[in-house]
Amino acid sequence: DIQPPFHMNEFAPGVGQFASWKHDKRRRDQFFAQVIKVLKISTQKSFSVGVAVSDLRRFQRDYQLPDNANGDSPYTFCAMLIYRQVNSWAQRHGKQSDTLQIIFEHGDKDQGQFVVRLRELFPGLDDPIFKRKRDCVPLQAADVLAWEHHRHVLHGTQRARESYAELRKHIPRDRSWMLYNRRQFSHILT
């Protein structure tokens, strides 16, 4: 009885159309198990990039980052890394770039900066595609991963959610879920 589009920021806290489920752990667990099942059978590869904003700002201030990323917002920084990851994966697996569509959810802050940076670094590539979640079901699926990864980036392993562990177990990722923090930035610069 769920009306699309699915929003993890409604499901997780039990608000909106999920308000009546808020304290029904069994129903919530069963529903999320079905979400994982759908994601597992319909996902060939997943990508997610998170950044510790304070670490990004520190490294932008103190070092010259590759590809002149010193002026990038956190959104632009992560979106550029996703773009690179997807294209690199496609090349390694013989995917034709002209059949590949990289779609970002429409309306996020700093999308304009992202498009400018993409054109600057990859002048021959098509602009990214922006769609609304209600018009693109895969964005609803991506919302689950983005929400869970964001929570993991904020709280780390000490407060890892069971749902994040389930995603990690069932969704193909082989090192394509990245967190850029002080340690990752140190590796980039060495």
Side-chain angles (χ1 to χ4, degrees):
D1 298 325
I2 302 304
Q3 298 301 310
F6 174 79
H7 292 280
M8 197 62 182
N9 65 357
E10 289 180 355
F11 173 73
V15 299
Q17 63 181 327
F18 301 101
S20 64
W21 301 18
K22 184 172 184 133
H23 301 290
D24 190 343
K25 181 170 174 24
R26 184 175 161 271
R27 187 175 188 190
R28 291 171 61 78
D29 289 349
Q30 287 176 337
F31 178 78
F32 201 76
Q34 290 297 312
V35 168
I36 296 288
K37 185 177 180 181
V38 169
L39 291 174
K40 183 178 180 177
I41 63 174
S42 60
T43 303
Q44 182 178 2
K45 176 72 172 157
S46 62
F47 301 88
S48 186
V49 174
V51 64
V53 175
S54 59
D55 291 340
L56 173 64
R57 296 292 185 229
R58 185 177 320 117
F59 276 81
Q60 286 175 321
R61 183 189 65 236
D62 296 344
Y63 301 96
Q64 179 59 46
L65 296 179
D67 296 326
N68 199 26
N70 289 68
D72 288 352
S73 69
Y75 176 88
T76 300
F77 180 82
C78 290
M80 291 296 293
L81 288 169
I82 287 286
Y83 217 88
R84 287 175 187 274
Q85 278 188 331
V86 170
N87 280 301
S88 176
W89 172 82
Q91 289 175 357
R92 284 193 319 272
H93 291 86
K95 307 287 183 190
Q96 299 298 320
S97 61
D98 60 344
T99 62
L100 186 67
Q101 290 185 327
I102 303 175
I103 300 172
F104 292 85
E105 186 172 356
H106 173 75
D108 289 325
K109 184 181 174 195
D110 296 322
Q111 287 181 333
Q113 182 192 48
F114 167 49
V115 171
V116 168
R117 292 284 288 136
L118 195 64
R119 288 176 183 164
E120 189 180 284
L121 291 174
F122 306 101
L125 290 180
D126 292 339
D127 282 349
I129 300 166
F130 296 102
K131 291 189 177 187
R132 297 188 189 285
K133 192 179 295 179
R134 69 175 176 262
D135 300 327
C136 185
V137 173
L139 286 174
Q140 296 174 50
D143 187 58
V144 174
L145 172 56
W147 195 92
E148 292 288 354
H149 194 202
H150 177 243
R151 298 281 304 178
H152 184 72
V153 167
L154 287 179
H155 302 295
T157 55
Q158 70 271 18
R159 288 180 50 194
R161 293 168 43 88
E162 187 178 311
S163 48
Y164 182 74
E166 284 299 303
L167 281 174
R168 287 182 60 87
K169 187 172 15 173
H170 294 289
I171 307 302
R173 60 185 167 78
D174 65 308
R175 295 187 313 268
S176 62
W177 297 4
M178 300 297 298
L179 165 59
Y180 283 82
N181 57 19
R182 186 175 334 131
R183 193 175 84 202
Q184 276 298 107
F185 284 117
S186 297
H187 290 293
I188 290 173
L189 297 171
T190 58

